[in-house]
Every structure is written in C-alpha cells, then in structure tokens.
Amino acid sequence: MILDQISYLDCLVFLFFLTPQLLLRVSVFELLVCVVQALPFFLIQLPYEFIEERYFTPKRSRSPFVKQASPFQDIVIRIVRYAFAHFSTKIGRVFFSKPVALPFLRFRMLRRGYLKSPITWLEIDLKDTHGVWIIVDPYDKPDIVIYHCHGGGFSMGSCYFYLEFLIAWVSLLKEAGFRNPAIFSLEYTLVPDAVYPAQLEQTITGYEYVRKIVRDPSRICVGGDSAGATLILSLLLHIARQPDYENRRPGYAALISPWTTLFSTQNRNTASDFLDANRLHMYGRQYAGSDENLDDPLVSPGVCNDCTWWAKASPSNGYCILYGSEEVFGPGLRDLIALWRKSGCAVSVREDGAVHAWPVASMFLCDTQAERQKGLRDIVKMIKQAIKIQ
C-alpha cells in the first residue's frame, strides 16, 4: 500500500487531530507564548525570504535545495527549520505522537478507499519497551525483516509517525520479489523520560526479538534515520563486542542521514538543511546524560576510530547510506564512510543535494509517485543486491 501525496485537505485534517492533543499535553500559556513568538516569522520573515529567494534571486545563487524544490516543499522546509530551532520538544513530541499520527494515517487510508490496511501491522510489547510489527502475511514466516529505529533527536518521533513510510517499504520489498517481507519498528523511550543507556538497551532487546523470529541474522537488515540510525550504529558496535558476534550480526544496514557524532564542530548549519546544530548538540547532551559519555562510541558512534572494531561491527554484506550533501551531518558522515572503507567494510552511498532524511520527508512532500518513492526504491534495490531472494 502506497498512498498518494499529501493534499491540502490532509493538512487541515492533521491540524484537526493535532489541536486537541496540543491542548491536552501542553499548557495554554506555553502555546500562547509559542504563537506570539512565531507570529513575526510567519507574517514577515517567511513570506519575505520565500519570495526574495525564489523570485528575485538568480537560480545559480539560490540554496541547493531551493533550486530543486517545489514552492510547497520550500515553504514546509522553511517552517520545519524555524520550528526545529525555536519550538520546545514538548510541542514537537505531540506532532509526531501516536494519538495524532495514527488517526491521520487512518484518514488518509479511508479517503483513498482502504477500510483496512492490506499490509498487516500490530503492536508488540517487549520488556521495558514495545514496537510495531508490519508484515505481508502474518501467518507465514518472513523471508526478510527490516529492524527499524525512528529518528527525532532522541526527544521526538514515534514509529506511528513513520507507519505510512514503513508500510510503503514493505510493499516495495514485496514488489521487488521478497515472498513475505516484514518490518519491526522500535518505539524506544524518548529523552528526557530516559537517557543513555536505556535507549540502547531497548534497541538490543528489539534486535534480539527480531533475531529469534528470523533465526538467521543474515536475513535481517537493520535501518533507521537520524537518531534512529545512531542507535543502529551503537547496536552494531555492541554486537561486535560479543563473543559470538559473527553469529549475531545482521546481513545488511540501510541508514538514512545517520547522526554519527552527537557533538562535533563538523556539525554546522547550511543554507538548505532544516536542522540546527546548536539544538542538535543540546539533544545529544541530553541523550548522553553527561558530557563524559559523549566520548563513548556506544553513545556517539562517530568518535570510534578503531578500524578493527568497525570491521567486526559491519553487517555481513555491508551498508547502504542515503544522505543529502546539504546536511548538517554531511562532513562527519563522509569521514565515517571513509573510515568504514579503510576498515574493509562494503558501503554503497547515495548522496544528492537534498536535506536531512529526504527519503522519509519526500513521501509526504513530493507530488509524483516517482519522486515520493525514489529514496525507498534505491534502498530496496540495494537490499535486494545484498540479501538474496530465497
């Protein structure tokens, strides 16, 4: 099941589901302060900068993302950039929460003729955490499982917000020839409700759950975006330190815009990306729990320069990495990719002029199915090359 692009009606319905949740979970005073502070941006800064760059700036002088973005995409990314830098995580968490994301998905499905999803999904409760299991045929054993961790700076996000993206991923795996593909998406505890090592322990628990189902870890592809990809990299480094690591490591890793180093001078704002380096560093410190932990590779995988460790941590068939050249994380990610290759790891890279986690964002922002599915189709193609169809 792959739904069509987000419409303006969808946006209004999303606000319909969002508004009562904001009123329930954020104080009216906080909301009023946020609205008042944001008014100058929405009434003056946003329209001025949008019009000035799109219509009065020569194309060669525009930011790389604006050169290729539609007006709708441009406006949304500008709004997200402001919200990421200025809105509190308390508000951000509501945007991506289950009570908002799940009814919104059901509305999109119903509007397009689906009374129920043709791809089965159900909630799974594990020790100290839970997740969502998505599969084509729930009565048959999967022939490939994607173990997924969502992004959101460790402070926001949920697997329910990603559910449409994940269902599309399973659908494309099925289309590619896999008999019964499945995804388990982990719903880990957000900061500040818990800090490291809680999230890593939950990630390990989720992986062991998937490993017991599949039995053959070479049929597992671990994946995630942003902070979720950080947890996946931490998981791989953890597995490499186990005595039986060769029997536990997955077959492949598909990572979208991984946050490799939580605090780094290489993380710098760009003209295109919606992430803000200072806010990211704040999130990283909150997740780590202490500045000392920022030097621990299990917390911040990019600080690991040990080629032997990375060689052991590599999935048996290597990695695929998708990221935008205009990302805040770009320089640090390029360094880590070079280190992986020096360590003998197989790495396939897709880099373009887009912004952070574009394969995920494009599912919601792009107009045509070809544009919406491009990132996912690239990932599925590389997975198919790495994990052979049985």
Side-chain angles (χ1 to χ4, degrees), residues 37 61 64 66 103 157 253 323 336 352 390:
Q37 291 177 339
S61 301
V66 172
Y323 73 103
L336 183 57
D352 55 30
Q390 293 179 332

Side-chain angles (χ1 to χ4, degrees), residues 284-312:
R285 283 194 168 102
Q286 289 176 339
Y287 165 64
S290 69
D291 284 354
E292 291 78 12
N293 282 342
L294 291 172
D295 295 323
D296 183 348
L298 293 180
V299 178
S300 182
V303 304
C304 178
N305 295 312
D306 187 335
C307 289
T308 302
W309 195 356
W310 277 121
K312 289 183 177 180

Side-chain angles (χ1 to χ4, degrees), residues 110-138:
L110 185 62
R111 184 166 171 256
R112 289 149 184 87
Y114 292 101
L115 296 178
K116 62 178 294 186
S117 173
I119 304 294
T120 299
W121 65 267
L122 61 149
E123 296 177 340
I124 303 294
D125 287 321
L126 304 173
K127 178 184 177 182
D128 299 326
T129 188
H130 68 280
V132 174
W133 178 252
I134 307 160
I135 190 167
V136 172
D137 183 356

Side-chain angles (χ1 to χ4, degrees), residues 140-215:
D140 193 9
K141 181 181 176 181
D143 58 335
I144 184 174
V145 175
I146 310 297
Y147 177 49
H148 173 262
C149 290
H150 68 77
F154 304 106
S155 304
M156 298 172 283
S158 74
C159 56
Y160 302 95
F161 178 78
Y162 283 74
L163 195 51
E164 181 177 336
F165 174 80
L166 298 175
I167 291 173
W169 195 346
V170 169
S171 300
L172 291 178
L173 286 168
K174 177 67 174 177
E175 179 187 301
F178 289 99
R179 177 180 50 80
N180 193 28
I183 292 179
F184 180 68
S185 184
L186 183 72
E187 186 75 346
Y188 56 86
T189 305
L190 299 176
V191 173
D193 300 345
V195 299
Y196 175 84
Q199 290 82 359
L200 177 56
E201 291 171 349
Q202 292 170 343
T203 305
I204 295 168
T205 299
Y207 181 73
E208 290 304 310
Y209 169 77
V210 170
R211 200 163 68 94
K212 289 178 182 177
I213 292 175
V214 181
R215 297 183 182 175

